[in-house]
Amino acid sequence: PVVLTVSGKIGHANQDGKALLDMATLRGLPQKTFTTETAWDKRPVKFSGPLLRDVLRLVQGSGSELKAVAVNDYAVSIPADDAQKFDLIIATRMNDRDIPPRTKGPLFVVYPFSSKPELKDKVYQERSIWQLKAIEIQ
């Protein structure tokens, strides 16, 4: 089943001008793992998944803004430059386990908050959207 729909300014689509990605496709990309402190957990958490920039490369994305949308239609705007500047991932695993939909899964955009002091800013926490279902490249 499709877990992520990428639309907008893309050069590679597989259905109706959109890139419909399943978990196997996301897990087939190179995986990045890091452990970081978050504003939502009392202890550091280990996250794994493809780098956002690799997902954008896969679909040949070319915009400057990413509108990320959650299952409940909550949306955030992420500058596309963030995908190049930081090793942010679309996490598919948390503490070596799939992320259940009832918590923050199955997909969760996560910045490596502990890697750089600037990432501890609230603006990056607000861009970390869980239960991600779609990205529109603008």
Side-chain angles (χ1 to χ4, degrees):
V2 172
V3 293
L4 181 64
T5 300
V6 185
S7 62
K9 294 182 178 181
I10 63 172
H12 177 75
N14 58 9
Q15 187 174 326
D16 300 324
K18 298 176 182 176
L20 306 180
L21 307 177
D22 59 14
M23 194 64 79
T25 300
L26 293 174
R27 290 198 172 133
L29 292 169
Q31 301 293 291
K32 173 77 175 175
T33 299
F34 55 74
T35 300
T36 189
E37 295 176 349
T38 72
W40 314 281
D41 297 285
K42 294 178 181 172
R43 296 182 180 173
V45 178
K46 181 179 177 184
F47 293 99
S48 302
L51 290 164
L52 177 58
R53 64 177 160 258
D54 288 343
V55 174
L56 297 177
R57 191 175 303 120
L58 175 71
V59 301
Q60 300 170 4
S62 63
S64 59
E65 280 298 309
L66 309 174
K67 179 183 176 189
V69 182
V71 172
N72 66 357
D73 292 326
Y74 174 78
V76 297
S77 182
I78 301 171
D81 285 351
D82 279 10
Q84 304 308 318
K85 291 193 311 192
F86 309 113
D87 284 344
L88 71 144
I89 64 173
I90 297 179
T92 60
R93 296 180 62 76
M94 200 164 95
N95 292 326
D96 296 319
R97 295 187 173 158
D98 292 347
I99 308 170
R102 71 181 180 283
T103 57
K104 293 176 171 63
L107 304 177
F108 186 178
V109 175
V110 183
Y111 286 77
F113 299 110
S114 299
S115 69
K116 296 182 179 192
E118 66 193 276
L119 290 177
K120 294 190 187 271
D121 191 292
K122 186 177 179 181
V123 69
Y124 297 105
Q125 294 172 17
E126 291 171 352
R127 292 177 186 164
S128 287
I129 185 170
W130 54 76
Q131 293 183 323
L132 178 72
K133 72 171 182 181
I135 297 173
E136 181 185 343
I137 303 173
Q138 303 172 331

PDB file of all heavy atoms in Angstrom, residues 1 17-18 23 31-33 35-37 57 62 68 76 80 89 96 98 101 103 111 118 137:
ATOM      1  N   PRO A   1       0.822  -1.215   0.000  1.00  0.00           N
ATOM      2  CA  PRO A   1       0.000   0.000   0.000  1.00  0.00           C
ATOM      3  C   PRO A   1       0.859   1.270   0.000  1.00  0.00           C
ATOM      4  O   PRO A   1       1.964   1.282   0.510  1.00  0.00           O
ATOM      5  CB  PRO A   1      -0.813  -0.108   1.291  1.00  0.00           C
ATOM      6  CG  PRO A   1      -0.111  -1.124   2.128  1.00  0.00           C
ATOM      7  CD  PRO A   1       0.697  -1.982   1.205  1.00  0.00           C
ATOM      8  N   GLY A  17       0.536  12.056 -12.406  1.00  0.00           N
ATOM      9  CA  GLY A  17       1.396  13.186 -12.097  1.00  0.00           C
ATOM     10  C   GLY A  17       1.921  13.204 -10.677  1.00  0.00           C
ATOM     11  O   GLY A  17       2.517  14.187 -10.248  1.00  0.00           O
ATOM     12  N   LYS A  18       1.719  12.133  -9.948  1.00  0.00           N
ATOM     13  CA  LYS A  18       2.185  12.030  -8.561  1.00  0.00           C
ATOM     14  C   LYS A  18       3.106  10.821  -8.416  1.00  0.00           C
ATOM     15  O   LYS A  18       3.010   9.865  -9.189  1.00  0.00           O
ATOM     16  CB  LYS A  18       1.000  11.858  -7.605  1.00  0.00           C
ATOM     17  CG  LYS A  18       0.030  13.014  -7.613  1.00  0.00           C
ATOM     18  CD  LYS A  18      -1.160  12.741  -6.734  1.00  0.00           C
ATOM     19  CE  LYS A  18      -2.140  13.909  -6.810  1.00  0.00           C
ATOM     20  NZ  LYS A  18      -3.345  13.640  -6.032  1.00  0.00           N
ATOM     21  N   MET A  23       6.193   1.416   1.431  1.00  0.00           N
ATOM     22  CA  MET A  23       7.239   1.256   2.431  1.00  0.00           C
ATOM     23  C   MET A  23       8.464   0.570   1.838  1.00  0.00           C
ATOM     24  O   MET A  23       9.597   0.921   2.170  1.00  0.00           O
ATOM     25  CB  MET A  23       6.689   0.483   3.639  1.00  0.00           C
ATOM     26  CG  MET A  23       7.577   0.570   4.852  1.00  0.00           C
ATOM     27  SD  MET A  23       7.767   2.247   5.529  1.00  0.00           S
ATOM     28  CE  MET A  23       6.243   2.419   6.448  1.00  0.00           C
ATOM     29  N   GLN A  31      19.554   4.071   4.006  1.00  0.00           N
ATOM     30  CA  GLN A  31      18.943   4.388   5.302  1.00  0.00           C
ATOM     31  C   GLN A  31      19.927   5.152   6.184  1.00  0.00           C
ATOM     32  O   GLN A  31      21.116   4.828   6.231  1.00  0.00           O
ATOM     33  CB  GLN A  31      18.497   3.114   6.010  1.00  0.00           C
ATOM     34  CG  GLN A  31      17.480   2.299   5.211  1.00  0.00           C
ATOM     35  CD  GLN A  31      16.146   2.993   5.061  1.00  0.00           C
ATOM     36  OE1 GLN A  31      15.410   3.150   6.024  1.00  0.00           O
ATOM     37  NE2 GLN A  31      15.823   3.403   3.840  1.00  0.00           N
ATOM     38  N   LYS A  32      19.427   6.146   6.874  1.00  0.00           N
ATOM     39  CA  LYS A  32      20.204   6.940   7.821  1.00  0.00           C
ATOM     40  C   LYS A  32      19.640   6.653   9.207  1.00  0.00           C
ATOM     41  O   LYS A  32      18.427   6.606   9.397  1.00  0.00           O
ATOM     42  CB  LYS A  32      20.060   8.433   7.482  1.00  0.00           C
ATOM     43  CG  LYS A  32      20.670   9.384   8.465  1.00  0.00           C
ATOM     44  CD  LYS A  32      22.158   9.438   8.316  1.00  0.00           C
ATOM     45  CE  LYS A  32      22.760  10.503   9.229  1.00  0.00           C
ATOM     46  NZ  LYS A  32      24.196  10.506   9.200  1.00  0.00           N
ATOM     47  N   THR A  33      20.525   6.449  10.161  1.00  0.00           N
ATOM     48  CA  THR A  33      20.110   6.212  11.544  1.00  0.00           C
ATOM     49  C   THR A  33      20.820   7.207  12.442  1.00  0.00           C
ATOM     50  O   THR A  33      22.024   7.447  12.283  1.00  0.00           O
ATOM     51  CB  THR A  33      20.465   4.773  11.977  1.00  0.00           C
ATOM     52  OG1 THR A  33      19.764   3.862  11.128  1.00  0.00           O
ATOM     53  CG2 THR A  33      20.073   4.511  13.419  1.00  0.00           C
ATOM     54  N   THR A  35      20.512   8.915  16.743  1.00  0.00           N
ATOM     55  CA  THR A  35      19.840   9.006  18.033  1.00  0.00           C
ATOM     56  C   THR A  35      19.859  10.468  18.426  1.00  0.00           C
ATOM     57  O   THR A  35      20.897  11.132  18.341  1.00  0.00           O
ATOM     58  CB  THR A  35      20.561   8.139  19.088  1.00  0.00           C
ATOM     59  OG1 THR A  35      20.529   6.778  18.624  1.00  0.00           O
ATOM     60  CG2 THR A  35      19.877   8.229  20.437  1.00  0.00           C
ATOM     61  N   THR A  36      18.697  10.974  18.824  1.00  0.00           N
ATOM     62  CA  THR A  36      18.587  12.394  19.138  1.00  0.00           C
ATOM     63  C   THR A  36      17.605  12.625  20.278  1.00  0.00           C
ATOM     64  O   THR A  36      16.708  11.813  20.506  1.00  0.00           O
ATOM     65  CB  THR A  36      18.162  13.200  17.880  1.00  0.00           C
ATOM     66  OG1 THR A  36      18.270  14.592  18.150  1.00  0.00           O
ATOM     67  CG2 THR A  36      16.739  12.876  17.457  1.00  0.00           C
ATOM     68  N   GLU A  37      17.797  13.717  20.959  1.00  0.00           N
ATOM     69  CA  GLU A  37      16.808  14.163  21.937  1.00  0.00           C
ATOM     70  C   GLU A  37      15.673  14.816  21.159  1.00  0.00           C
ATOM     71  O   GLU A  37      15.890  15.397  20.101  1.00  0.00           O
ATOM     72  CB  GLU A  37      17.432  15.167  22.899  1.00  0.00           C
ATOM     73  CG  GLU A  37      18.514  14.558  23.758  1.00  0.00           C
ATOM     74  CD  GLU A  37      19.213  15.590  24.644  1.00  0.00           C
ATOM     75  OE1 GLU A  37      19.009  16.806  24.449  1.00  0.00           O
ATOM     76  OE2 GLU A  37      19.973  15.154  25.520  1.00  0.00           O
ATOM     77  N   ARG A  57      15.246  13.424  -4.461  1.00  0.00           N
ATOM     78  CA  ARG A  57      16.029  13.045  -5.640  1.00  0.00           C
ATOM     79  C   ARG A  57      15.310  11.927  -6.414  1.00  0.00           C
ATOM     80  O   ARG A  57      15.250  11.949  -7.638  1.00  0.00           O
ATOM     81  CB  ARG A  57      17.428  12.595  -5.217  1.00  0.00           C
ATOM     82  CG  ARG A  57      18.396  12.432  -6.382  1.00  0.00           C
ATOM     83  CD  ARG A  57      19.826  12.094  -5.937  1.00  0.00           C
ATOM     84  NE  ARG A  57      20.353  13.098  -5.032  1.00  0.00           N
ATOM     85  CZ  ARG A  57      20.752  12.847  -3.767  1.00  0.00           C
ATOM     86  NH1 ARG A  57      20.698  11.627  -3.279  1.00  0.00           N
ATOM     87  NH2 ARG A  57      21.220  13.803  -3.013  1.00  0.00           N
ATOM     88  N   SER A  62      11.949  19.619  -7.496  1.00  0.00           N
ATOM     89  CA  SER A  62      12.711  20.817  -7.857  1.00  0.00           C
ATOM     90  C   SER A  62      12.179  22.111  -7.253  1.00  0.00           C
ATOM     91  O   SER A  62      12.524  23.181  -7.721  1.00  0.00           O
ATOM     92  CB  SER A  62      12.756  20.956  -9.384  1.00  0.00           C
ATOM     93  OG  SER A  62      11.439  21.127  -9.884  1.00  0.00           O
ATOM     94  N   ALA A  68       4.245  19.549   3.860  1.00  0.00           N
ATOM     95  CA  ALA A  68       4.114  18.202   4.402  1.00  0.00           C
ATOM     96  C   ALA A  68       2.766  18.088   5.107  1.00  0.00           C
ATOM     97  O   ALA A  68       2.397  18.963   5.893  1.00  0.00           O
ATOM     98  CB  ALA A  68       5.251  17.922   5.381  1.00  0.00           C
ATOM     99  N   VAL A  76       2.549  21.383   7.523  1.00  0.00           N
ATOM    100  CA  VAL A  76       3.643  22.298   7.839  1.00  0.00           C
ATOM    101  C   VAL A  76       4.398  22.590   6.556  1.00  0.00           C
ATOM    102  O   VAL A  76       4.367  21.803   5.606  1.00  0.00           O
ATOM    103  CB  VAL A  76       4.616  21.729   8.905  1.00  0.00           C
ATOM    104  CG1 VAL A  76       3.915  21.502  10.225  1.00  0.00           C
ATOM    105  CG2 VAL A  76       5.302  20.465   8.428  1.00  0.00           C
ATOM    106  N   ALA A  80      12.834  23.578   1.263  1.00  0.00           N
ATOM    107  CA  ALA A  80      13.536  22.477   0.597  1.00  0.00           C
ATOM    108  C   ALA A  80      15.020  22.493   0.939  1.00  0.00           C
ATOM    109  O   ALA A  80      15.656  21.441   0.985  1.00  0.00           O
ATOM    110  CB  ALA A  80      13.314  22.550  -0.909  1.00  0.00           C
ATOM    111  N   ILE A  89      15.383  13.091   8.089  1.00  0.00           N
ATOM    112  CA  ILE A  89      14.927  11.838   7.502  1.00  0.00           C
ATOM    113  C   ILE A  89      13.411  11.729   7.543  1.00  0.00           C
ATOM    114  O   ILE A  89      12.743  12.431   8.302  1.00  0.00           O
ATOM    115  CB  ILE A  89      15.542  10.612   8.219  1.00  0.00           C
ATOM    116  CG1 ILE A  89      15.095  10.528   9.688  1.00  0.00           C
ATOM    117  CG2 ILE A  89      17.060  10.611   8.103  1.00  0.00           C
ATOM    118  CD1 ILE A  89      15.530   9.240  10.398  1.00  0.00           C
ATOM    119  N   ASP A  96      14.418   0.993  16.646  1.00  0.00           N
ATOM    120  CA  ASP A  96      14.519  -0.288  15.933  1.00  0.00           C
ATOM    121  C   ASP A  96      13.183  -0.997  15.708  1.00  0.00           C
ATOM    122  O   ASP A  96      13.150  -2.206  15.472  1.00  0.00           O
ATOM    123  CB  ASP A  96      15.501  -1.234  16.640  1.00  0.00           C
ATOM    124  CG  ASP A  96      16.919  -0.693  16.636  1.00  0.00           C
ATOM    125  OD1 ASP A  96      17.335  -0.139  15.600  1.00  0.00           O
ATOM    126  OD2 ASP A  96      17.611  -0.813  17.664  1.00  0.00           O
ATOM    127  N   ASP A  98       9.119  -0.616  13.760  1.00  0.00           N
ATOM    128  CA  ASP A  98       8.232   0.169  12.906  1.00  0.00           C
ATOM    129  C   ASP A  98       7.444   1.127  13.790  1.00  0.00           C
ATOM    130  O   ASP A  98       7.150   0.809  14.948  1.00  0.00           O
ATOM    131  CB  ASP A  98       7.264  -0.753  12.156  1.00  0.00           C
ATOM    132  CG  ASP A  98       7.968  -1.610  11.120  1.00  0.00           C
ATOM    133  OD1 ASP A  98       9.140  -1.336  10.790  1.00  0.00           O
ATOM    134  OD2 ASP A  98       7.343  -2.568  10.630  1.00  0.00           O
ATOM    135  N   PRO A 101       0.927   3.546  13.579  1.00  0.00           N
ATOM    136  CA  PRO A 101       0.097   4.701  13.249  1.00  0.00           C
ATOM    137  C   PRO A 101      -0.542   5.351  14.476  1.00  0.00           C
ATOM    138  O   PRO A 101      -0.739   6.561  14.504  1.00  0.00           O
ATOM    139  CB  PRO A 101      -0.979   4.125  12.323  1.00  0.00           C
ATOM    140  CG  PRO A 101      -0.335   2.929  11.717  1.00  0.00           C
ATOM    141  CD  PRO A 101       0.557   2.368  12.788  1.00  0.00           C
ATOM    142  N   THR A 103       0.714   6.034  17.213  1.00  0.00           N
ATOM    143  CA  THR A 103       1.624   6.959  17.893  1.00  0.00           C
ATOM    144  C   THR A 103       2.026   8.061  16.922  1.00  0.00           C
ATOM    145  O   THR A 103       1.340   9.047  16.792  1.00  0.00           O
ATOM    146  CB  THR A 103       2.839   6.224  18.483  1.00  0.00           C
ATOM    147  OG1 THR A 103       3.522   5.517  17.449  1.00  0.00           O
ATOM    148  CG2 THR A 103       2.437   5.269  19.577  1.00  0.00           C
ATOM    149  N   TYR A 111      14.310  15.809  12.319  1.00  0.00           N
ATOM    150  CA  TYR A 111      15.611  16.471  12.232  1.00  0.00           C
ATOM    151  C   TYR A 111      16.543  15.835  13.265  1.00  0.00           C
ATOM    152  O   TYR A 111      16.078  15.418  14.324  1.00  0.00           O
ATOM    153  CB  TYR A 111      15.481  17.959  12.572  1.00  0.00           C
ATOM    154  CG  TYR A 111      14.839  18.803  11.500  1.00  0.00           C
ATOM    155  CD1 TYR A 111      13.461  18.789  11.291  1.00  0.00           C
ATOM    156  CD2 TYR A 111      15.598  19.649  10.703  1.00  0.00           C
ATOM    157  CE1 TYR A 111      12.871  19.580  10.314  1.00  0.00           C
ATOM    158  CE2 TYR A 111      15.019  20.453   9.731  1.00  0.00           C
ATOM    159  CZ  TYR A 111      13.659  20.412   9.547  1.00  0.00           C
ATOM    160  OH  TYR A 111      13.084  21.198   8.582  1.00  0.00           O
ATOM    161  N   GLU A 118      21.686  24.820  16.526  1.00  0.00           N
ATOM    162  CA  GLU A 118      20.607  25.567  15.863  1.00  0.00           C
ATOM    163  C   GLU A 118      19.337  24.722  15.690  1.00  0.00           C
ATOM    164  O   GLU A 118      18.235  25.257  15.618  1.00  0.00           O
ATOM    165  CB  GLU A 118      21.082  26.105  14.514  1.00  0.00           C
ATOM    166  CG  GLU A 118      21.380  25.024  13.492  1.00  0.00           C
ATOM    167  CD  GLU A 118      22.128  25.528  12.278  1.00  0.00           C
ATOM    168  OE1 GLU A 118      21.478  26.040  11.348  1.00  0.00           O
ATOM    169  OE2 GLU A 118      23.360  25.410  12.262  1.00  0.00           O
ATOM    170  N   ILE A 137       5.559  19.488  -3.395  1.00  0.00           N
ATOM    171  CA  ILE A 137       6.737  20.318  -3.661  1.00  0.00           C
ATOM    172  C   ILE A 137       6.279  21.548  -4.432  1.00  0.00           C
ATOM    173  O   ILE A 137       5.679  21.457  -5.503  1.00  0.00           O
ATOM    174  CB  ILE A 137       7.797  19.527  -4.452  1.00  0.00           C
ATOM    175  CG1 ILE A 137       8.183  18.259  -3.687  1.00  0.00           C
ATOM    176  CG2 ILE A 137       9.017  20.409  -4.713  1.00  0.00           C
ATOM    177  CD1 ILE A 137       9.094  17.319  -4.438  1.00  0.00           C
TER     178      ILE A 137
END
